[in-house]
Amino acid sequence: MTKTKYWNPVEFLDSTEARVEYLRGALENGDSKERVAVVLLRIAESLGISLVELSLTCLLLTPFETDAVPATVLEFAKELLKTN
């Protein structure tokens, strides 16, 4: 029985040019926002950025009502980013 290997695009995103073309392809094809988000996550992964680091950074940089987010959550995110 032949074993099928999962194709991981991150393995091929080893240069700036490859990353740009991967993102350009998603944008030019009119992919959904969700699909473009996956492409961006894969590009981040290829750069060694973890999902946790990316999520926390987005949390801290997103323009939203910071009053709606408890200060302890923001402080926790800042501390985690410092240690990683």
Side-chain angles (χ1 to χ4, degrees):
M1 183 171 154
T2 305
K3 209 173 190 182
T4 303
K5 183 181 176 191
Y6 172 72
W7 182 75
N8 185 356
V10 172
E11 294 174 9
F12 300 95
L13 299 175
D14 57 357
S15 68
T16 300
E17 293 81 16
R19 292 177 189 109
V20 167
E21 289 305 315
Y22 187 55
L23 179 58
R24 182 175 298 162
L27 295 173
E28 287 178 352
N29 289 337
D31 288 350
S32 67
K33 290 179 185 178
E34 292 81 9
R35 174 75 180 121
V36 172
V38 169
V39 167
L40 290 170
L41 288 172
R42 287 183 176 154
I43 291 171
E45 184 182 352
S46 76
L47 292 166
I49 301 169
S50 74
L51 179 57
V52 171
E53 291 169 320
L54 188 60
S55 299
L56 293 173
T57 301
C58 290
L59 173 68
L60 293 172
L61 297 178
T62 302
F64 57 84
E65 295 286 331
T66 54
D67 296 341
V69 179
T72 53
V73 172
L74 294 174
E75 289 305 314
F76 175 73
K78 288 178 188 176
E79 286 304 312
L80 273 178
L81 287 172
K82 285 181 193 174
T83 59
N84 289 331

